[in-house]
Structures are given as C-alpha cells and as structure tokens.
Amino acid sequence: MRTQVAVIGGGPAGLLLSRLLMRAGIDAVVLERRSRERVLSRIRAGVLEAGTADTLRRAGVGERMDREGQVHSGCYLSAGESLIRIPFGELCGRNVTVYGQTEVTRDLYAAQEADGAVILHDVEDVALHDLDGDAPFVSFRHEGGEHRLACDYVAGCDGFHGPSRQAIPAEIRREFERVYPFGWLGILSETPPVTDELIYANHERGFALCSLRNPMLSRYYVQVGLDEKIEDWSDDRFWDELRARLPQGTADGLVTGPSIEKSIAPLRSFVSEPMSWGRLFLCGDAAHIVPPTGAKGLNLAVGDVHYLSEALIAFYRDRDRGKLASYSETALARVWKAVRFSWQMTTLLHRFPDNTGFDRRMQEAELGQLEASETARRLVAENYTGAPY
C-alpha cells in the first residue's frame, strides 16, 4: 500500500487530520486498532473552544454541532455557598460549545466515509520504520494478513499507549509528568442538568463538577481517592456526595436518576518533547495529557491537527517545509500554556492529601480574588475559551 500521510489512530484527532488533508487533495490512510463501535463507545468531555468549533466547520463537519450543540457564554466556580460566574463573552469576546466528543467523532466518521476515506479498523501490531530516512513505512496486521504502508510522513494520533511516541528514540525524548493523587468518579444520567452552565466546585469534602451533554443528559463528577472502586459507589451514594459538595441552593435543584455510565478516571499532566522526529509528527494524547479540569484535552488535539494540517498542506502545495520544521515548537508553545492552566485549575479546586492549612488559605485567597477582580476573571475566561491559533 502507498499513501502520502499515514495516520496512526482513528480517534477525533486522526479523523480530523485525515479530513483536512483529503479536502486539500492529500491522500491519507487511517489505521485504528479498535473497532468503530469501540471508538464510538468512549465517553469523553465535550467542551469545545471557539477555535475547535471553527476548525470543525472548516472541515465541513460543523452542521450538527451548530444545530445541536449548546453555546455557553460562561461557567461557575463555587466555594462554600458562593457562586462566582465567569462570563466568557463579556470578558474576552469568545464562547465555548458543549458538544460531546463522541458526537464529534461520529460526525467525522460520517463525512469521511461519504468521501471514500480509507479507515482500517482492528489493526494489530503497528510498527513505524525508517522515520529518519526518505522512505518511511508502517507495518501492521489486518484481517489475518501482513501489510506494509509506504508513505511520505507519519502522523501519530494514537494516544498515550500507542506506538508512535515510543518510535522517537529514548535519548531524544524528554518527558514531563505530574501524577495527581486522586481521580474523578463520573456518571452519565438521563436527567436535566442542575444548571445551564458548568459548575466547578471547591469543597472541603473534595472537588465536584456539574456538566451536561444536552437538556436531558447530564455528566457529573466527584473527586475520589485512587483506591476507590466503582462497585463501592451506588447511585444513591454518588448523588448524596455530589449534593454535599454543592452550594445548598444548587443542591436543592438537583434532579437524580439511574446512571447509564459510571467510571473512575485518574488525573495526570504529561508532555513529551519534541512532538516531531524525522518524518513523524505527534498529535493529541500521543504527546500530551492534561487533567480535565481545564477542558483542554480534545481542544489541544485539535490545535495540534490545525498546525500539522497547515504544515502538510504548505509542503504539498508549495514544497515549503518551513511549517513542518517548526511544527513541534509551534504546537508545544500552545500545549504548555494549556498545561499550566489545567494545573492551576486542578490545584485551585481539589483537596490534596498533603494540603496544609496554608494551602487551604491560598485556595480561599485565589477564589476571593476571582470573586472581587474582573481582571482575574478575564484571565480565566481567556484561557478557558482558548487562545486563537
């Protein structure tokens, strides 16, 4: 097999990259190790920055997002009984759109299949070869046969556990990591959201988040220890704990119901540098992971795809390698800003096991500054809605 760009990973990053390349007349083949059904079963966040929404429209997959997604012009931070609203549009002129990552992926699949894109599922034993030469290729097994995919470039969109990042020699890679000593227990329920905007709650019992997918589908989280087990958390126990961490007026309006999905996700910050080596370029979770507190995971992946697609289009259109050469530096500048914001929000809103009285007072002081200072709120709004590309 032969293509111009081999895309490893068929999640939203890989599908969006192949979509943008195809619309520019560039051939791409997507290799995904899971089935399409498994990819679409992943429950992920759904807060899209303004730049992410614009990129999806540019890719021709924004129609359903614009029709069914919910534009949010703010969010709330709570501390005790107080609610601090961050009015995005008012403060920075940008908003976010709440639209599930699963729905983004579904839209990309539909558009790519309608245009005849090559997407291979259930691919095994993917290996990347000769990335530092002029003739890279990818070997893999599919439907019982051994295959070789020759290409000009490889885009590693295969997540934290994929082979792409590991293909960069260990002596070249630098990895930075912060593992947080807690996780998020999340449930999905077919109930109306407790508010029409997200609430990030700081409470002495731990962090909580009230999120949503649509007017009858809510997503809620509470901070839990890493030793907690799903089977120990009945729906009733979860709802009681969530109520305890919300301001009383908000808790009183909470509509509960049976969960249709329940999971515990550990939190970490991780960045691998560089994001390119030879003919290989990394996008999304293959290069970086952020705690979900700042709603940056999918948005960072889309930012990477934006920069990489522009670089590849410039090369194939004008034989200009400048953007390919600077891709890692350009992408990492945006990545580290988002990592800082996600770390800041996580530190502000969670209870750490080794927190001292001083640490708690610092959280209270920062929340007090957010309540009192429009400048402080503007900084949160600018970071939350995402910097322009």
Side-chain angles (χ1 to χ4, degrees):
M1 300 174 66
R2 169 78 198 176
T3 191
Q4 290 174 299
V5 180
V7 180
I8 315 300
L15 292 173
L16 179 59
L17 178 62
S18 69
R19 176 73 180 164
L20 292 170
L21 295 179
M22 282 186 63
R23 285 168 71 86
I26 300 167
D27 292 333
V29 171
V30 177
L31 306 179
E32 168 57 45
R33 68 187 181 93
R34 296 185 176 90
S35 68
R36 172 174 169 158
E37 293 71 25
R38 180 70 182 278
V39 173
L40 289 172
S41 71
R42 300 169 183 160
I43 302 296
R44 294 291 187 270
V47 177
L48 309 182
E49 294 176 356
T52 296
D54 286 342
T55 301
L56 293 173
R57 294 185 190 103
R58 181 163 59 89
V61 292
E63 182 181 348
R64 193 162 72 97
M65 173 193 70
D66 286 332
R67 186 175 67 250
E68 300 179 10
Q70 300 176 64
V71 175
H72 281 202
S73 58
C75 73
Y76 294 96
L77 306 181
S78 80
E81 291 301 310
S82 66
L83 277 175
I84 306 165
R85 186 168 185 267
I86 311 294
F88 305 143
E90 211 177 286
L91 293 169
C92 67
R94 297 190 298 271
N95 295 312
V96 298
T97 301
V98 174
Y99 187 65
Q101 179 174 316
T102 301
E103 304 310 312
V104 171
T105 308
R106 200 183 306 279
D107 294 342
L108 286 164
Y109 266 129
Q112 286 297 79
E113 289 176 352
D115 287 350
V118 180
I119 305 170
L120 303 183
H121 289 93
D122 299 308
V123 170
E124 299 177 303
D125 298 334
V126 173
L128 287 60
H129 307 270
D130 296 346
L131 297 172
D132 57 344
D134 294 328
F137 67 96
V138 180
S139 62
F140 60 95
R141 287 195 302 114
H142 184 242
E143 295 181 343
E146 303 285 340
H147 299 270
R148 172 182 170 132
L149 176 62
C151 56
D152 300 326
Y153 296 101
V154 178
C157 307
D158 49 349
F160 182 79
H161 298 289
S164 294
R165 185 179 69 257
Q166 302 302 323
I168 299 177
E171 62 271 19
I172 293 175
R173 283 198 326 269
R174 292 194 303 161
E175 297 183 349
F176 305 85
E177 186 173 35
R178 170 75 187 272
V179 177
Y180 296 92
F182 42 73
W184 281 13
L185 168 62
I187 72 165
L188 198 64
S189 64
E190 292 177 324
T191 54
V194 67
T195 61
D196 57 358
E197 294 178 341
L198 276 66
I199 298 177
Y200 293 82
N202 174 302
H203 194 273
E204 62 183 11
R205 298 178 66 92
F207 168 80
L209 171 61
C210 300
S211 184
L212 63 150
R213 294 292 178 268
N214 61 52
M216 274 305 296
L217 189 62
S218 298
R219 185 73 163 159
Y220 296 108
Y221 300 91
V222 294
Q223 175 188 345
V224 296
L226 293 176
D227 57 347
E228 292 284 355
K229 295 179 172 57
I230 286 288
E231 52 268 27
D232 295 333
W233 282 85
S234 66
D235 288 352
D236 286 344
R237 182 187 177 193
F238 178 89
W239 292 122
D240 288 344
E241 188 61 38
L242 178 62
R243 281 194 199 91
R245 300 185 188 191
L246 298 175
Q248 189 63 53
T250 303
D252 289 344
L254 183 66
V255 177
T256 65
S259 62
I260 58 175
E261 191 271 343
K262 190 182 295 180
S263 59
I264 295 178
L267 272 64
R268 64 155 45 123
S269 298
F270 174 85
V271 180
S272 181
E273 299 180 353
M275 288 177 59
S276 64
W277 180 69
R279 298 296 186 102
L280 170 66
F281 300 87
L282 302 180
C283 288
D285 287 359
H288 44 73
I289 292 175
V290 290
T293 327
K296 292 298 167 207
L298 174 60
N299 293 299
L300 272 185
V302 172
D304 297 343
V305 167
H306 167 82
Y307 293 128
L308 183 54
S309 63
E310 280 200 334
L312 289 166
I313 291 168
F315 169 73
Y316 284 109
R317 183 184 59 210
D318 304 320
R319 293 293 155 179
D320 180 356
R321 287 185 168 86
K323 288 185 176 181
L324 285 173
S326 62
Y327 165 73
S328 179
E329 180 182 359
T330 301
L332 281 169
R334 196 170 196 274
V335 165
W336 277 112
K337 290 175 184 176
V339 169
R340 184 210 64 81
F341 177 66
S342 299
W343 163 81
Q344 178 190 36
M345 290 284 283
T346 302
T347 303
L348 171 64
L349 296 169
H350 290 75
R351 286 292 185 274
F352 287 74
D354 58 352
N355 266 9
T356 64
F358 178 86
D359 297 322
R360 176 59 184 152
R361 288 290 186 264
M362 288 300 97
Q363 287 182 327
E364 292 171 353
E366 188 167 352
L367 286 163
Q369 185 180 46
L370 283 166
E371 191 168 22
S373 168
E374 181 178 296
T375 300
R377 293 192 296 276
R378 179 176 292 110
L379 284 173
V380 172
E382 289 177 352
N383 281 277
Y384 195 92
T385 57
Y389 297 137

